[in-house]
Amino acid sequence: MEKREQMYEGKAKKVFATDSDEYCIVSYKDDATAFNGLKKGTIAGKGVVNNRMSNYLMQLIEKQGIPTHFVEELNDRETVVRKVTIVPLEVIVRNTAAGSFSKRFGVAEGTKLLCPTLEFCYKDDELGDPMVNDYHIIACGWATREDLDIITDYTFKINEFLIDFFKKINVDLIDFKIEFGKTADGKIILADEISPDTCRFWDATTHEKLDKDRFRRDMGSVEEAYREMMRRIFG
Ligand code: TMP
């Protein structure tokens, strides 16, 4: 696979074309943003952690029968992925109240939810990624009913799998955000990343935060948290 011109630069990743129409190469940066890009910084080594962790989890999720964009890890920061059109939704699952859920609904952070919840946000930085429901999504043409049914089914299965996976390394999966894409032949597959940028991980014993909230909330020991998640997963 030959790496060609840069197609896109996002807040945490760059995407490059390849000599194949079906594939592109993502390159993970150490850049970190929060609050729709208002807060900016770098987290040394983050790109490596997110690349390796996301690739590892996607391969395990693929084994659960859920298709993903993962193709091949090229090096510490770069991965070949299937080319998709991103469904412009942030798909958020919550097992325990935290973050914007706690703020919006007045439920204390750390309150275990009676069942996992699902939220959709429309991906648009200028609008601040507003929360939307099924009717909004279908009416605006961001996804069809059929797409949403598949996305919902995959998402709850991914949640069950990830809860068990992280439990084994003494981490509670509080919540996470995933994104899906559509291939040229119309198949919905898991895309983007699964990493400490996109999940809340709390140590199951001490409830210490091991994710990007340490950056968002200026808690310090940000790099250490990413490294600790890496250590627990890969030893
Ligand atoms: P929230 O509580 O701020 O809505 O975040 C819910 C989950 O989504 C949390 O695990 C962090 C993740 N997330 C992203 O991946 N990207 C974002 O832009 C935001 C706001 C949250």
Side-chain angles (χ1 to χ4, degrees):
M1 188 93 32
E2 199 182 302
K3 187 169 158 186
R4 296 260 169 95
E5 76 281 1
Q6 184 175 307
M7 294 161 61
Y8 172 79
E9 176 159 9
K11 286 177 285 195
K13 297 189 281 297
K14 293 178 182 174
V15 183
F16 295 88
T18 68
D19 51 353
S20 160
D21 268 353
E22 274 181 69
Y23 304 107
C24 43
I25 292 172
V26 293
S27 178
Y28 285 76
K29 306 189 286 184
D30 286 348
D31 299 356
T33 64
F35 316 115
N36 291 321
L38 275 165
K39 181 184 171 89
K40 289 190 175 71
T42 43
I43 302 172
K46 171 172 89 75
V48 176
V49 172
N50 289 8
N51 183 44
R52 291 197 55 206
M53 178 167 165
S54 189
N55 290 341
Y56 184 64
L57 292 174
M58 292 238 184
Q59 289 173 82
L60 296 177
I61 286 167
E62 192 98 38
K63 285 192 188 137
Q64 307 296 308
I66 294 161
T68 76
H69 73 170
F70 176 80
V71 177
E72 186 192 357
E73 188 169 288
L74 294 176
N75 55 53
D76 270 0
R77 288 181 187 269
E78 293 183 314
T79 296
V80 180
V81 298
R82 244 173 280 280
K83 198 192 238 177
V84 293
T85 307
I86 288 286
V87 177
L89 299 173
E90 302 205 328
V91 180
I92 298 169
V93 176
R94 301 177 190 271
N95 297 305
T96 297
S100 69
F101 185 98
S102 292
K103 217 173 190 173
R104 180 178 282 121
F105 301 123
V107 179
E109 278 216 328
T111 307
K112 180 94 183 100
L113 299 173
L114 299 176
C115 63
T117 70
L118 182 63
E119 284 167 22
F120 298 110
C121 294
Y122 174 52
K123 267 170 69 76
D124 186 314
D125 275 348
E126 274 178 32
L127 298 176
D129 299 339
M131 194 196 278
V132 291
N133 68 26
D134 298 33
Y135 290 94
H136 302 141
I137 295 166
I138 294 164
C140 293
W142 298 322
T144 64
R145 177 77 265 162
E146 293 68 36
D147 294 338
L148 283 183
D149 288 345
I150 294 169
I151 286 172
T152 301
D153 176 54
Y154 285 172
T155 298
F156 282 121
K157 283 181 179 150
I158 291 167
N159 185 43
E160 288 310 309
F161 172 76
L162 291 178
I163 287 173
D164 281 353
F165 175 86
F166 287 110
K167 197 172 279 168
K168 288 179 195 139
I169 54 171
N170 204 45
V171 167
D172 279 336
L173 179 63
I174 303 303
D175 57 31
F176 63 93
K177 184 270 299 181
I178 48 181
E179 296 181 23
F180 291 87
K182 228 178 206 187
T183 58
D185 55 357
K187 221 171 92 176
I188 295 276
I189 67 175
L190 180 64
D192 194 50
E193 67 180 275
I194 303 176
S195 72
D197 275 20
T198 62
C199 304
R200 286 197 171 94
F201 299 129
W202 292 4
D203 181 276
T205 312
T206 65
H207 307 304
E208 185 191 0
K209 293 182 187 0
L210 297 170
D211 58 59
K212 194 178 164 188
D213 267 352
R214 303 198 74 88
F215 169 79
R216 295 188 187 100
R217 302 179 186 190
D218 295 318
M219 297 172 73
S221 303
V222 185
E223 280 87 359
E224 288 80 354
Y226 279 72
R227 255 188 273 128
E228 175 61 15
M229 284 305 300
M230 188 82 150
R231 190 191 65 76
R232 290 195 195 188
I233 293 171
F234 296 106

